[in-house]
Amino acid sequence: MQPKELVTQFIAAIQDQRFDEAKLLLAEDGFEYVGPNMRFLNRDDMLAYQFGMAAIQKDLVLRQLSEDGEHVFAILDYRTHFEPIGDVRLAVWFRVHEGRIQVVEAFYNAAVVENMLGGNLPTAG
């Protein structure tokens, strides 16, 4: 499977809250997620966080997806049920290695997420 196809399946699984399916697309060893206000060094921790956010997720809209070798870049709108904050625009860089997503780096307005969570952000394990 090409990196772009793999990332498309991952985004669709997160959108539909099929976290077990999403997990299978992530590397078991050496996985890393980096965002502006959190970091996870294994896929289980990152997906547990995503599961916790599922209650406020209204939709995840893929606006743009491009591929450059093993690198895939996505622009997404994370639409929420949390009206005081609204939606969050995300730019996400994925690095695919040996048929799995190895690295996810997300760029977004960290203040919006911190306000949603009341300043209680998870720490890397």
Side-chain angles (χ1 to χ4, degrees):
M1 182 180 325
Q2 294 298 314
K4 190 174 180 179
E5 295 170 304
L6 185 72
V7 169
T8 299
Q9 284 188 7
F10 176 77
I11 291 169
I14 295 295
Q15 178 184 28
D16 296 338
Q17 300 179 11
R18 297 184 321 260
F19 299 108
D20 288 340
E21 183 180 317
K23 180 179 178 175
L24 298 176
L25 303 172
L26 301 174
E28 289 183 59
D29 298 318
F31 174 80
E32 182 179 23
Y33 168 89
V34 179
N37 51 8
M38 63 190 74
R39 183 174 182 216
F40 300 107
L41 299 177
N42 70 64
R43 64 188 189 171
D44 291 321
D45 289 345
M46 195 231 14
L47 289 170
Y49 172 74
Q50 288 294 324
F51 180 78
M53 296 293 285
I56 67 164
Q57 178 184 315
K58 185 187 312 181
D59 199 5
L60 185 61
V61 178
L62 178 61
R63 298 178 62 209
Q64 173 101 22
L65 192 68
S66 60
E67 176 182 17
D68 182 10
E70 66 180 11
H71 303 275
V72 180
F73 305 91
I75 304 296
L76 304 156
D77 286 332
Y78 187 86
R79 297 191 177 152
T80 74
H81 293 288
F82 197 73
E83 296 302 325
I85 301 301
D87 302 334
V88 179
R89 180 154 298 145
L90 308 167
V92 186
W93 167 64
F94 298 87
R95 188 172 66 80
V96 176
H97 182 67
E98 297 180 357
R100 299 275 177 99
I101 297 169
Q102 188 77 45
V103 177
V104 179
E105 189 166 350
F107 304 87
Y108 53 86
N109 182 348
V112 171
V113 176
E114 287 181 25
N115 288 337
M116 275 195 293
L117 300 175
N120 297 319
L121 295 172
T123 56

